[in-house]
Amino acid sequence: MFPSVNEQMDVIRDGAIEVLPEDELVRKIENSIKNNKPLNIKLGADPSRPDLHIGHAVVLHKLRQFQDLGHKAILIIGDFTAMIGDPTGKSKTRPQLTLEETRINGQSYLEQATIILKKENLEVVYNSDWLGKMNFSDVIQLAARYTVAQLLERDDFSKRFKSGIPISVHELLYPLAQAMDSAQIKADVELGGTDQKFNLIVGREIQKAYGIEPQCIVTMPLLEGTDGVEKMSKSLDNYIALTDTPKEMFGKVMSIPDALITRYMRYAAFSPENQAVAVEKGLANGTVHPRNAKVETAMKIVELYHSKQAAEAAFEEFERIFKNKELPDEIEEMQIDNSEMGLMDLLVATGLAPSKKEAKRLIEQGGVFVDQNKVDDPFQKIDLKSKRLLKVGKRKFLYVLAK
RNA sequence: GGGCAGGUACCGAAGUGGUCAACCGGGGCAGACUGUAAAUCUGCUGGGCUCCGCCCUACGGAGGUUCGAAUCCUUCCCUGCCCA
């Protein structure tokens, strides 16, 4: 029923940064095979930001691999923790979500996650089910199992502590809450990004403290965003959403710096390692053109979430717009109340510019075209009795017409 | 509770009475170039107008001093450090 231990370990190690402790995992798998019992594979989901991107896909993909090996994926929707509102980092006080909102977000998270996960061998649980029931003495008991020094070992805590950036007490409790989840569902393995390593290890300790066999941990790399520097995240707006259209996906992949091509091959396109290595070498010695490698990767990614046809269409359109500087095949059309408007006002009215000042700047910098002709006078009147084509920057196209 | 240091635009960070819509860096946007929405270079980066100039809003909040305040005073809120 289950593949052999070696086969399983190969799959698990593939693409992972760390698998620890390995020997313990081998033992767990051996037992699983012997008793014909799947392992519980845990992945925590943060429903405060329910828009999944291909950075999340790295770890979801790993979870899917476990499913394919016959193990049981347990997706924990962290509705309780999201409800408290994670104040980590510099972000302003995050609006506190109600339980209801986190449930709705959780649902949307789930819908997106199942683009990658299969529905068989999948259990979805909400951590408010147990964390919400703990009373203060339960919390104290939990907190007593860990020390401040241990918590401050966490890199971001110690950095913040040293540089005098506030750490609220409840933030210190976060790893413990997450660890509680592991104890609750008796996780055998927990997956996470490398940034989660600390939390995952705390899970082991807390499980032991509650008399449960500790989980093994598998950490996956954090995928850099399209800017090539920061990790992919919605708040930095450097992400490629799982639900992005083929065109957007393709374009965004094309905008990553060349240096990231092989990383995206491995962790976004999930290309086989030997291919990634081949491209790596080719790029280094000049036999592979970076643009072609990027195009291929972009197409693979689009294909993963859409289809081969969609990928080809996206590629063709990209060529058309950016290489041949032609028009996209579909351009939105908008109706305007006035039959004539100043260009600046028109840009604001159509939402192509957020303010008149901004519109003026765009025009003066030569970024605005009407019917393919550059217009540099912000006060130029545009006659809208017939359909006109607006182009702002390289990527925004819109037809406008008076009602 | 006491002492000290801080709170400036999306972020970081200058600025200590007028020349400040506020240096600089990052980010973002636009342009040039290209191999792409890569890289590099250049410009722009609060809003409105009767638009080569004028007006409004903005330097934690609220008051005040002054012809004039991000800059001085009062008070409140917030953060860090040290002491208790």
Side-chain angles (χ1 to χ4, degrees):
Chain A
M1 178 174 179
F2 290 102
S4 74
V5 174
N6 284 342
E7 279 174 75
Q8 292 201 40
M9 286 306 287
D10 283 346
V11 173
I12 293 167
R13 279 196 208 99
D14 175 47
I17 297 287
E18 279 186 298
V19 177
L20 11 126
E22 274 207 44
D23 52 338
E24 227 171 85
L25 182 57
V26 169
R27 217 172 314 127
K28 276 177 189 273
I29 292 173
E30 280 169 357
N31 286 335
S32 146
I33 293 173
K34 198 167 68 190
N35 304 324
N36 194 25
K37 198 169 168 277
L39 298 175
N40 288 337
I41 315 300
K42 173 192 171 194
L43 177 65
D46 173 13
S48 64
R49 294 197 174 271
D51 299 279
L52 298 198
H53 51 63
I54 65 171
H56 295 113
V58 178
V59 69
L60 284 169
H61 184 252
K62 179 57 66 182
L63 186 58
R64 170 62 193 254
Q65 289 180 315
F66 273 103
Q67 285 184 311
D68 290 340
L69 291 172
H71 299 297
K72 181 172 161 196
I74 303 182
L75 190 64
I76 297 187
I77 310 281
D79 62 340
F80 187 80
T81 26
M83 197 172 63
I84 300 167
D86 183 0
T88 310
K90 297 153 212 153
S91 58
K92 316 221 160 47
T93 316
R94 197 182 270 183
Q96 300 207 341
L97 301 174
T98 65
L99 194 56
E100 204 172 302
E101 285 168 327
T102 61
R103 288 272 164 155
I104 292 166
N105 286 352
Q107 190 56 40
S108 115
Y109 188 107
L110 187 58
E111 274 162 28
Q112 294 170 64
T114 47
I115 294 172
I116 295 170
L117 300 177
K118 35 177 198 183
K119 301 211 167 84
E120 305 86 63
N121 293 348
L122 175 65
E123 185 182 335
V124 180
V125 290
Y126 290 83
N127 68 4
S128 61
D129 282 353
W130 52 89
L131 293 181
K133 290 188 181 117
M134 290 175 76
N135 63 30
F136 200 71
S137 62
D138 294 328
V139 175
I140 287 172
Q141 275 192 33
L142 171 62
R145 312 284 192 179
Y146 225 71
T147 70
V148 172
Q150 284 174 312
L151 287 170
L152 284 178
E153 276 174 30
R154 194 169 107 167
D155 194 45
D156 57 352
F157 281 152
S158 63
K159 268 190 198 141
R160 282 163 69 185
F161 189 66
K162 274 178 203 147
S163 52
I165 299 167
I167 304 170
S168 302
V169 173
H170 75 292
E171 290 184 84
L172 290 174
L173 293 177
Y174 257 74
L176 297 178
Q178 192 175 327
M180 203 58 213
D181 294 345
S182 293
Q184 177 68 31
I185 64 157
K186 299 188 169 56
D188 290 301
V189 177
E190 179 166 7
L191 307 184
T194 49
D195 59 340
Q196 287 291 312
K197 183 176 173 184
F198 179 87
N199 294 343
L200 305 185
I201 289 171
V202 176
R204 283 174 62 80
E205 302 302 320
I206 295 301
Q207 282 177 311
K208 276 191 227 165
Y210 282 84
I212 294 162
E213 189 187 318
Q215 63 188 11
C216 296
I217 71 170
V218 175
T219 57
M220 299 301 295
L222 297 177
L223 187 65
E224 292 82 355
T226 51
D227 60 348
V229 181
E230 300 294 335
K231 76 170 182 177
M232 186 173 286
S233 84
K234 194 182 182 202
S235 48
L236 293 170
D237 197 28
N238 62 358
Y239 67 104
I240 302 176
L242 296 187
T243 53
D244 271 345
T245 63
K247 287 175 208 169
E248 281 174 311
M249 247 185 207
F250 190 91
K252 285 182 183 178
V253 177
M254 291 304 284
S255 80
I256 63 170
D258 290 353
L260 240 61
I261 293 171
T262 51
R263 263 186 91 71
Y264 269 59
M265 279 185 76
R266 286 190 174 94
Y267 301 116
F270 305 114
S271 301
E273 181 58 22
N274 58 337
Q275 279 184 27
V277 171
V279 170
E280 225 158 42
K281 280 188 187 148
L283 287 173
N285 65 25
T287 53
V288 171
H289 195 295
R291 180 175 184 275
N292 296 339
K294 216 190 274 186
V295 165
E296 228 170 274
T297 307
M299 287 188 71
K300 238 184 216 165
I301 292 170
V302 175
E303 196 180 325
L304 218 50
Y305 298 105
H306 296 280
S307 66
K308 192 156 186 120
Q309 295 92 297
E312 272 158 16
F315 169 62
E316 278 163 27
E317 174 137 329
F318 190 87
E319 291 276 288
R320 191 156 62 231
I321 299 174
F322 298 111
K323 200 170 176 186
N324 309 331
K325 309 224 190 273
E326 291 168 17
L327 299 178
D329 60 358
E330 273 176 35
I331 299 178
E332 272 192 69
E333 199 172 319
M334 190 183 262
Q335 304 226 312
I336 298 292
D337 289 325
N338 310 37
S339 61
E340 190 187 76
M341 278 184 100
L343 183 54
M344 208 163 63
D345 296 299
L346 185 59
L347 292 185
V348 175
T350 51
L352 291 170
S355 71
K356 288 194 176 187
K357 280 268 194 217
E358 182 69 31
K360 192 179 175 194
R361 260 176 239 131
L362 284 166
I363 295 164
E364 283 172 349
Q365 287 179 130
V368 178
F369 291 74
V370 177
D371 297 330
Q372 307 280 58
N373 300 313
K374 188 191 284 183
V375 177
D376 50 17
D377 173 14
F379 296 98
Q380 169 114 32
K381 294 285 183 199
I382 307 297
D383 176 27
L384 298 171
K385 289 194 225 34
S386 56
K387 199 198 275 182
R388 309 301 292 270
L389 174 65
L390 292 179
K391 181 187 176 208
V392 176
K394 291 189 179 81
R395 297 153 55 192
K396 292 186 205 157
F397 298 87
L398 185 71
Y399 280 119
V400 283
L401 180 65
K403 268 182 186 160

